Amino acid sequence: MEQEKDSGRIGIGAYIALAAAVLFFSGLFMKVDGMKWLSAFDFTTLGGTFGTMKDPANNTFIGAGGVSAKAGFLFSLSLAPTVMLALGALEILTHYGAIKAAHKLLTPLLQPLLGIPGKTGLALITDLQSTDAGAALTKELYDAGEIDLKELTIMGAWQYSGAGMINNYFAIGSALFAVLTAPVIIPLFIMFVLKFVGGMFVRFVLNTVYKEDFKNEKQSS
């Protein structure tokens, strides 16, 4: 391909790509009688449609009936204010020393169990309510050099297991509360404990099976 580029020659692959682009963006595949499956290769179909305000009193700005990428994009916008609020609050709290306090208080717990410093505590706590804000704070810690790659991986495992645990449990799991034979707090506590089990398991794997992959990283005690 490099030779074709340097010599100015255009190969058959380029013409195939051009044809695919024309078909994808032209709308020819959008409605083909007897071959509806072709619409899966059409830009308009994949882009989807915005929802409509059929019931303004109950609909959000997303509307109702939106499909595909546009509905997904609008849904992501609805999450932005929550994430921004969480990150803004954490930024203020961090300015006043919240991370330093977390490091001092939580290191004795997190270091032996997960091999991560206490300064990660705020990110883990935030993840209990908002996966997006927890992930963003974790990224900030890694980008600032506060945690290394191994610690980042362990944190990711802890957060991924039962992500947004409290929020999702009471928002979605509440549908099953009526049939629970145990107190509502018991399943929540079990999930919380299992988050640590998952993180500890990943730590063990990284320190054994994938030990060589992190030989240049700062080792956690």
Side-chain angles (χ1 to χ4, degrees), residues 100-177:
K100 292 180 180 179
H103 182 67
K104 183 176 181 179
L105 292 175
L106 297 177
T107 293
L109 171 66
L110 297 179
Q111 192 69 52
L113 293 178
L114 300 176
I116 57 178
K119 65 184 69 176
T120 63
L122 276 181
L124 300 185
I125 292 171
T126 303
D127 172 77
L128 296 176
Q129 284 277 26
S130 171
T131 58
D132 303 285
L137 186 55
T138 300
K139 183 179 183 298
E140 286 186 9
L141 289 172
Y142 180 71
D143 290 343
E146 298 289 341
I147 57 176
D148 60 27
L149 185 58
K150 179 188 288 187
E151 293 165 343
L152 174 67
T153 305
I154 295 172
M155 288 182 66
W158 193 96
Q159 292 173 318
Y160 183 78
S161 175
M165 184 182 72
I166 294 177
N167 190 35
N168 289 329
Y169 181 69
F170 287 103
I172 302 174
S174 58
L176 300 176
F177 286 175

Side-chain angles (χ1 to χ4, degrees), residues 7 10 14 57 77 92 106 109 117 138 142 185 187 192 194 202 219:
S7 63
I10 300 176
L77 286 181
I92 295 173
L106 297 177
L109 171 66
T138 300
Y142 180 71
I185 196 64
F192 183 71
L194 290 178
V202 169
Q219 296 298 309

Side-chain angles (χ1 to χ4, degrees), residues 4-217:
E4 289 183 0
K5 181 178 179 181
D6 294 340
S7 63
R9 296 173 55 190
I10 300 176
I12 186 64
Y15 291 106
I16 294 175
L18 175 61
V22 171
L23 292 172
F24 181 67
F25 290 105
S26 66
L28 294 176
F29 283 165
M30 186 166 61
K31 292 183 179 179
V32 180
D33 292 338
M35 302 181 72
K36 190 175 182 180
W37 58 271
L38 283 175
S39 64
F41 300 96
D42 177 71
F43 174 76
T44 303
T45 302
L46 294 176
T49 57
F50 289 109
T52 56
M53 300 301 292
K54 296 179 179 179
D55 186 2
N58 297 316
N59 289 150
T60 65
F61 72 94
I62 296 178
V67 296
S68 198
K70 289 183 179 178
F73 176 74
L74 287 175
F75 177 72
S76 69
L77 286 181
S78 71
L79 297 175
T82 301
V83 177
M84 293 171 63
L85 174 61
L87 291 178
L90 287 171
E91 194 67 28
I92 295 173
L93 295 171
T94 299
H95 174 75
Y96 286 101
I99 286 195
K100 292 180 180 179
H103 182 67
K104 183 176 181 179
L105 292 175
L106 297 177
T107 293
L109 171 66
L110 297 179
Q111 192 69 52
L113 293 178
L114 300 176
I116 57 178
K119 65 184 69 176
T120 63
L122 276 181
L124 300 185
I125 292 171
T126 303
D127 172 77
L128 296 176
Q129 284 277 26
S130 171
T131 58
D132 303 285
L137 186 55
T138 300
K139 183 179 183 298
E140 286 186 9
L141 289 172
Y142 180 71
D143 290 343
E146 298 289 341
I147 57 176
D148 60 27
L149 185 58
K150 179 188 288 187
E151 293 165 343
L152 174 67
T153 305
I154 295 172
M155 288 182 66
W158 193 96
Q159 292 173 318
Y160 183 78
S161 175
M165 184 182 72
I166 294 177
N167 190 35
N168 289 329
Y169 181 69
F170 287 103
I172 302 174
S174 58
L176 300 176
F177 286 175
V179 298
L180 282 179
T181 57
V184 171
I185 196 64
I186 299 299
L188 188 66
F189 176 74
I190 292 175
M191 287 189 289
F192 183 71
V193 171
L194 290 178
K195 287 173 74 71
F196 280 92
V197 173
M200 292 166 66
F201 175 76
V202 169
R203 181 193 183 192
F204 172 76
V205 172
L206 296 183
N207 286 333
T208 53
V209 180
Y210 297 101
K211 183 177 181 179
E212 292 300 314
D213 294 351
F214 298 92
K215 61 183 179 181
N216 295 324
E217 292 283 341

